[in-house]
Amino acid sequence: MRLRLTATGRATPDVAWERYARPALWPTWSPQIVSVDYPAARLVAGTSGTVHGWFGLRLSFTVDEVDVAARTWAWTVRAPWASRSACTTA
């Protein structure tokens, strides 16, 4: 199953991409994320991490693809209700 989300806002595409590309920034724009354990400063295909949410929720993920020029990435999240997601910033 592929899920596509679209959002609009005041951030430019470059700013929005930077917020996605740097997992340490995820908690600054996503209130359900408390912290992110990730081994690199920027998204890198083949790396894995953990998103920490409220009430001890932990979701492990692996970054499957990153295309910086197209500002797209895809990941696999290991959770009962999620399996894979792709993100695009245009």
Side-chain angles (χ1 to χ4, degrees):
M1 178 175 82
R2 192 163 199 127
L3 173 67
R4 181 181 175 145
L5 300 173
T6 304
T8 59
R10 289 182 265 174
T12 65
D14 288 337
V15 169
W17 171 249
E18 193 63 19
R19 290 175 181 166
Y20 275 109
R22 295 178 50 205
L25 294 179
W26 295 357
T28 68
W29 57 265
S30 183
Q32 69 272 21
I33 297 176
V34 174
S35 64
V36 178
D37 292 332
Y38 188 69
R42 302 183 69 77
L43 293 174
V44 178
T47 56
S48 297
T50 304
V51 172
H52 300 271
W54 295 105
F55 310 109
L57 178 67
R58 294 172 42 136
L59 299 173
S60 298
F61 67 90
T62 299
V63 178
D64 301 315
E65 306 166 24
V66 179
D67 184 337
V68 174
R71 292 188 295 224
T72 63
W73 67 289
W75 64 344
T76 299
V77 179
R78 285 174 292 289
W81 62 88
S83 61
R84 180 176 160 98
S85 175
C87 300
T88 302
T89 307

